[in-house]
């Protein structure tokens, strides 16, 4: 009798496993996807197509790169668009893209770009200098083009910022005139938000362009099923290196563990957001491999200095820095993170290593709170994102650890968790007391961290990159001087001093710099993660 029961249970278990395997295999298509025979596996045996399935923790917010700052959106738009210049495969040195060559005037104010001929947008229209002018004029037409404001100093009263005019001086020549020299200008143009979009498509789709993207890049947008999949297909007419894979499917799988299980099952080929504790498992799996992205990032807890109450006090912010045991927090990063003390990573030039971090001292924290008038502590709210980020792999556990540490100095923290889109919207509007966020550098220049994240120009409620809403005139003057100074040694001096002031004012609790791990099938080859956080997929391949 026992044997019969055992056989029955084994038979039932085999049936369940078979059904689950079938369901897992089907999961790669997403509900409502087109009837092209996608199975979610890397290669479609029926027609010989190669499909890369990329697993990630959150969906894109939108697919117009000029309107977003989140990495999940940029991961996709990096495949669809080309900027004038792009970064080399392993660093932030620029090389030709839609522009083949360029020169700058001696005074640093006029940049002239020669454009690539014979390029077509995905909608079949020709790429010319007029299209570049159209895109720049569009970016300067509204504050909704966030990065344009961040990088070129556009304001409500001066939407053009430092860019005075963009002219088509020939069919394939563009001249950009600046009002002042801008040292990181060429590096900035290589950033994904400045990918050139089809003017015809923008006019055709209007307000719906964000979900109907058209560029010149190595992949063409095909379909977006929200919170499920985004599908791209190979651009057969691409001017550069044509993609080795025929299709890329971005799958949204919010839970890190579930995503890793799908990788192990073979229903996805590549994933971000690997739990640190799963690294060893992946390394010991003969079918998988770990790929580490070079570190150029930071995670931090911003304190809203613009709100009346505790966070407006420098002594309170310093006390919070003293009250948190950063070494203990690093155990949650399980080897992929190093403690941060400055707003820029040590991999960048201009990093001020002479600054001494606050350290962990509960009594010192209590004394500062008493001096600030909060000897009995206070209640506050910490906003966090629900999904993991490359710079913060376990946000909830990190928040809970900080919650317990601050309780020792009578600061009672309510943790408020939101999905990624909602978290960004609330923090940009300044709804938080404290909030987790982070940044992966876009162009390899300290300006991209310090000016974007901590200058008063970017503390505008509704579109803030500076979610501490920190405003210091000395820091502003230093950062603006560094932008217009073409001598790098002098720029370093400005950035070193700015970091000293920021450290003293403590608008952040800097958490960590990470080397984000990606996990992939052993069949994924020629994939090189870029330090900026995303890269075109046209160079990678899947071997079968």
């Amino acid at each position: 009798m026992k044997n019969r029961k055992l056989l029955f249970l084994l038979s039932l278990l085999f049936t369940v496993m078979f059904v689950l395997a079938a369901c897992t295999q089907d999961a790669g298509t997403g509900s409502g996807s087109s009837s092209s025979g996608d199975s979610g596996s890397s290669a479609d045996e029926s027609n010989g197509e190669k499909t890369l399935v990329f697993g990630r923790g959150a969906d894109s917010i939108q697919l117009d790169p000029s309107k977003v700052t989140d990495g999940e959106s940029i991961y996709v738009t990096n495949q669809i668009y080309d900027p004038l210049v792009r970064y080399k495969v392993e660093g932030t040195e620029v090389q030709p893209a839609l522009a083949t060559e360029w020169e700058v005037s001696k005074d640093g104010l006029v940049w002239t770009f020669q454009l690539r001929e014979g390029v077509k947008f995905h909608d079949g229209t020709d790429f010319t200098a007029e299209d570049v002018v159209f895109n720049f004029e569009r970016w300067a037409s509204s504050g909704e083009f966030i990065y344009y404001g961040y990088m070129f100093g556009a304001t409500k009263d001066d939407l053009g910022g430092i860019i005075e005019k963009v002219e088509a001086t020939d069919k394939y020549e563009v001249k950009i005139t600046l009002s002042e020299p801008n040292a990181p200008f060429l590096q900035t143009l290589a950033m994904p938000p400045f990918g050139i979009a089809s003017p015809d498509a923008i006019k055709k789709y209007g307000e719906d362009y964000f979900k109907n993207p058209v560029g010149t890049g190595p992949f063409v947008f095909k379909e977006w099923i929200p919170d499920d999949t985004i599908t791209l297909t190979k651009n057969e007419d691409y001017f550069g290196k044509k993609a080795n894979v025929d299709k890329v499917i971005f799958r949204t799988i919010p839970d890190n563990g579930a995503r890793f299980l799908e990788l192990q099952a073979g229903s996805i080929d590549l994933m971000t957001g690997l739990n640190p504790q799963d690294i060893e498992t992946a390394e010991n799996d003969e079918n998988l491999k770990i790929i580490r992205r070079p570190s150029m990032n930071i995670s931090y807890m911003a304190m809203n200095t613009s709100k009346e109450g505790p966070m407006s006090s420098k002594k309170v912010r310093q006390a919070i820095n003293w009250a948190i045991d950063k070494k203990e927090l690093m155990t949650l990063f399980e080897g992929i993170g190093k403690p941060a003390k400055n707003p820029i990573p040590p991999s960048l030039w201009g990093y001020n290593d002479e600054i001494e971090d606050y350290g962990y001292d509960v009594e010192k924290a209590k004394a500062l709170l008493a001096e600030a008038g909060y000897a009995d502590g206070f209640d506050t709210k910490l906003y966090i994102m629900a999904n993991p980020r490359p710079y913060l792999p376990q946000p909830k556990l990190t928040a809970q650890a900080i919650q317990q540490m601050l309780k020792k100095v009578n600061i009672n923290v309510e943790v408020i968790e939101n999905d990624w889109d909602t978290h960004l919207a609330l923090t940009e509007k300044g709804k938080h007391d404290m909030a987790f966020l982070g940044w992966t550098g876009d162009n390899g220049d300290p300006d991209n961290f310090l000016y974007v994240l901590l200058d008063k120009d970017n503390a505008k409620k509704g579109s803030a990159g500076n979610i501490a809403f920190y405003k210091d005139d000395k820091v502003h003057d230093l950062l603006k001087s560094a932008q217009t100074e073409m001598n790098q040694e002098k720029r370093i001096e400005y950035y070193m001093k700015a970091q000293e002031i920021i450290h003293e004012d403590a608008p952040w609790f800097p958490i960590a710099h990470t080397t984000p791990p990606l996990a992939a099938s052993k069949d994924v080859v020629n994939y090189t993660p870029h330090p900026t956080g995303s890269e075109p997929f046209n160079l990678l391949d899947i071997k079968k």
Side-chain angles (χ1 to χ4, degrees):
M1 189 69 173
K2 287 181 180 179
N3 287 339
R4 289 176 64 186
K5 284 184 177 179
L6 179 60
L7 287 171
F8 172 77
L9 288 172
L10 287 173
S11 176
L12 179 62
L13 178 61
F14 178 82
T15 302
V16 170
M17 290 176 65
F18 180 83
V19 171
L20 285 174
C23 290
T24 302
Q25 189 71 8
D26 289 342
T29 64
S31 60
S33 61
S34 61
S35 57
S36 59
D38 296 340
S39 65
S41 58
S42 345
D44 189 327
E45 299 293 339
S46 62
N47 57 20
E49 277 193 348
K50 289 182 180 180
T51 299
L52 176 82
V53 184
F54 182 89
R56 57 196 187 141
D59 199 1
S60 300
I61 292 176
Q62 62 162 291
L63 299 180
D64 181 347
S66 59
K67 292 184 178 181
V68 294
T69 62
D70 70 295
E72 302 298 0
S73 296
I74 291 172
Y75 239 123
V76 180
T77 63
N78 233 338
Q79 319 307 323
I80 300 170
Y81 298 90
D82 290 304
L84 291 177
V85 293
R86 69 163 55 93
Y87 303 120
K88 289 190 173 180
V89 173
E90 296 187 18
T92 53
E93 183 181 350
V94 300
Q95 61 184 0
L98 289 176
T100 56
E101 55 185 290
W102 51 88
E103 61 181 13
V104 59
S105 60
K106 289 183 179 180
D107 61 6
L109 297 179
V110 181
W111 292 78
T112 304
F113 295 88
Q114 304 303 319
L115 305 181
R116 195 176 297 276
E117 299 183 24
V119 176
K120 288 186 178 293
F121 289 103
H122 300 155
D123 58 7
T125 57
D126 293 327
F127 164 73
T128 69
E130 292 292 348
D131 300 318
V132 177
V133 174
F134 177 93
N135 276 265
F136 272 87
E137 289 180 345
R138 177 177 181 247
W139 299 331
S141 68
S142 168
E144 67 181 334
F145 300 100
I146 301 171
Y147 259 109
Y148 189 93
Y150 287 171
M151 304 309 299
F152 300 129
T155 66
K156 183 177 180 181
D157 299 321
D158 180 15
L159 290 170
I162 64 168
I163 297 181
E164 286 196 341
K165 57 183 176 180
V166 182
E167 306 168 272
T169 46
D170 201 345
K171 187 175 182 180
Y172 295 104
E173 181 181 271
V174 169
K175 186 178 291 185
I176 301 175
T177 303
L178 309 181
S179 60
E180 60 187 38
N182 184 265
F185 183 69
L186 192 63
Q187 302 288 118
T188 297
L189 290 184
M191 289 165 51
F194 304 114
I196 303 299
S198 162
D200 281 29
I202 291 170
K203 294 170 186 175
K204 175 181 177 181
Y205 292 110
E207 292 183 358
D208 285 336
Y209 177 72
F210 76 94
K211 55 186 178 182
N212 294 281
V214 179
T216 62
F219 291 93
V220 180
F221 172 75
K222 180 182 179 184
E223 182 183 42
W224 184 2
I225 303 172
D227 297 318
D228 188 359
T229 58
I230 294 176
T231 302
L232 312 179
T233 57
K234 177 179 180 178
N235 179 6
E236 298 289 356
D237 297 320
Y238 189 51
F239 65 84
K241 171 69 173 67
K242 290 182 176 58
N244 295 303
V245 298
D246 300 286
K247 189 179 295 182
V248 175
I249 298 174
F250 290 88
R251 279 193 56 202
T252 300
I253 309 170
D255 183 75
N256 281 7
R259 200 177 321 118
F260 183 52
L261 286 174
E262 295 233 25
L263 180 69
Q264 291 175 303
S267 54
I268 64 174
D269 304 295
L270 180 62
M271 65 167 280
T272 59
L274 183 70
N275 281 328
Q277 57 267 32
D278 288 331
I279 293 175
E280 185 177 357
T281 303
E283 288 176 333
N284 292 332
D285 189 327
E286 62 180 9
N287 295 313
L288 304 179
K289 59 185 174 183
I290 293 293
I291 306 170
R292 296 181 187 271
R293 187 179 299 282
S295 180
M296 194 170 70
N297 62 25
I298 186 169
S299 55
Y300 59 89
M301 183 174 73
M303 289 168 267
N304 191 342
T305 64
S306 70
K307 267 194 171 183
E308 289 186 16
M311 298 307 159
S312 64
S313 167
K314 180 170 75 173
K315 288 185 177 180
V316 168
R317 300 193 301 269
Q318 290 176 336
I320 287 172
N321 272 270
W322 283 110
I324 300 173
D325 187 346
K326 200 170 289 184
K327 288 183 180 178
E328 181 65 25
L329 286 186
M330 288 306 101
T331 64
L332 299 173
F333 288 77
E334 301 193 35
I336 68 167
K338 294 183 177 180
K341 64 179 180 180
N342 290 324
I344 66 174
S347 57
L348 284 191
W349 56 270
Y351 179 81
N352 192 338
D353 202 25
E354 295 177 6
I355 288 174
E356 187 175 346
D357 205 0
Y358 281 93
Y360 177 54
D361 190 327
V362 171
E363 294 308 313
K364 194 162 190 173
K366 287 181 177 179
L368 283 166
L369 288 172
E371 290 174 25
Y374 294 97
D376 296 328
F378 56 87
D379 297 339
T380 191
K381 295 178 181 179
L382 169 61
Y383 283 47
I384 70 170
M385 66 289 279
N387 60 298
R389 306 301 301 150
Y391 43 74
L392 193 62
Q394 302 189 95
K396 189 169 186 176
L397 290 179
T398 306
Q400 290 170 341
I402 288 175
Q403 184 183 47
Q404 292 303 310
M405 293 172 191
L406 292 182
K407 194 172 184 178
K408 294 178 182 178
V409 295
N410 299 315
I411 298 176
N412 302 307
V413 179
E414 179 186 354
V415 177
I416 298 175
E417 184 181 64
N418 286 297
D419 65 81
W420 180 233
D421 196 357
T422 303
H423 181 72
L424 290 180
L426 291 172
T427 55
E428 285 174 357
K429 293 173 184 175
K431 300 295 185 181
H432 57 287
D433 300 326
M434 304 188 296
F436 280 171
L437 209 56
W439 192 257
T440 300
D442 295 296
N443 64 9
D445 195 292
D447 173 79
N448 182 242
F449 282 83
L450 294 170
Y451 181 71
V452 172
L453 303 179
L454 287 161
D455 191 83
K456 67 179 185 178
D457 284 351
N458 292 320
K460 308 178 188 74
K461 289 188 176 179
S463 63
N466 173 2
I467 67 162
F469 296 90
Y470 171 66
K471 299 177 182 179
D472 184 88
D473 289 336
K474 290 181 180 178
V475 169
H476 175 73
D477 291 343
L478 287 164
L479 298 184
K480 292 302 290 184
S481 295
Q483 285 181 342
T484 57
E485 176 58 62
M486 305 305 283
N487 182 297
Q488 185 165 309
E489 290 304 313
K490 290 183 179 178
R491 294 186 73 206
I492 288 174
E493 291 178 17
Y494 293 135
Y495 289 134
M496 297 278 276
K497 181 61 178 174
Q499 288 169 80
E500 290 175 11
I501 298 171
I502 292 166
H503 179 77
E504 171 68 18
D505 288 345
W508 288 2
F509 170 74
I511 301 174
H513 308 291
T514 66
T515 305
L518 299 96
S521 161
K522 67 175 182 179
D523 295 324
V524 175
V525 296
N526 299 329
Y527 175 59
T528 306
H530 198 267
T532 57
S534 64
E535 50 285 319
F537 286 169
N538 57 317
L539 299 182
L540 64 75
D541 201 355
I542 300 176
K543 289 194 173 180
K544 283 292 180 182

XYZ file of all heavy atoms in Angstrom, residues 96 99-103 112-115:
86
model
N 32.376 58.424 -32.897
C 31.299 58.819 -33.818
C 30.072 57.932 -33.709
O 30.161 56.745 -33.407
C 31.954 58.680 -35.198
C 33.422 58.833 -34.942
C 33.656 58.186 -33.604
N 27.029 61.563 -35.877
C 28.049 62.506 -36.338
C 29.336 61.734 -36.593
O 29.724 60.884 -35.791
C 28.285 63.598 -35.304
N 29.981 62.006 -37.719
C 31.216 61.288 -38.064
C 32.461 62.026 -37.596
O 33.496 61.411 -37.345
C 31.301 61.078 -39.583
O 31.201 62.354 -40.243
C 30.167 60.176 -40.067
N 32.379 63.351 -37.479
C 33.500 64.156 -36.982
C 32.965 65.484 -36.475
O 31.825 65.865 -36.755
C 34.545 64.377 -38.072
C 34.019 64.980 -39.356
C 35.101 65.053 -40.435
O 36.031 65.871 -40.264
O 35.015 64.283 -41.412
N 33.803 66.203 -35.709
C 33.371 67.456 -35.101
C 34.576 68.312 -34.764
O 35.708 67.820 -34.671
C 32.550 67.186 -33.842
C 33.242 66.250 -32.873
C 34.118 66.562 -31.889
C 33.122 64.820 -32.874
N 34.558 65.430 -31.253
C 33.956 64.352 -31.830
C 32.385 63.905 -33.640
C 34.084 62.991 -31.551
C 32.519 62.561 -33.349
C 33.353 62.113 -32.312
N 34.317 69.583 -34.597
C 35.366 70.515 -34.165
C 34.723 71.596 -33.308
O 33.529 71.875 -33.407
C 36.080 71.130 -35.370
C 35.191 71.942 -36.294
C 35.949 72.508 -37.492
O 37.091 72.075 -37.737
O 35.387 73.388 -38.176
N 30.838 72.303 -34.346
C 30.364 71.970 -35.691
C 30.486 70.468 -35.919
O 31.560 69.886 -35.729
C 31.173 72.719 -36.760
O 31.114 74.133 -36.499
C 30.610 72.452 -38.151
N 29.361 69.845 -36.282
C 29.315 68.395 -36.462
C 29.020 68.038 -37.918
O 28.085 68.583 -38.526
C 28.211 67.791 -35.586
C 28.458 67.941 -34.116
C 28.038 69.086 -33.442
C 29.098 66.941 -33.402
C 28.263 69.227 -32.082
C 29.326 67.077 -32.042
C 28.912 68.224 -31.380
N 29.822 67.145 -38.475
C 29.551 66.565 -39.789
C 28.746 65.294 -39.564
O 29.130 64.433 -38.761
C 30.858 66.244 -40.526
C 31.794 67.431 -40.693
C 31.142 68.594 -41.427
O 30.403 68.390 -42.407
N 31.424 69.814 -40.967
N 27.637 65.164 -40.261
C 26.710 64.066 -40.002
C 26.867 62.918 -40.995
O 27.312 63.118 -42.134
C 25.271 64.581 -40.034
C 24.953 65.752 -39.105
C 23.482 66.131 -39.227
C 25.302 65.417 -37.653
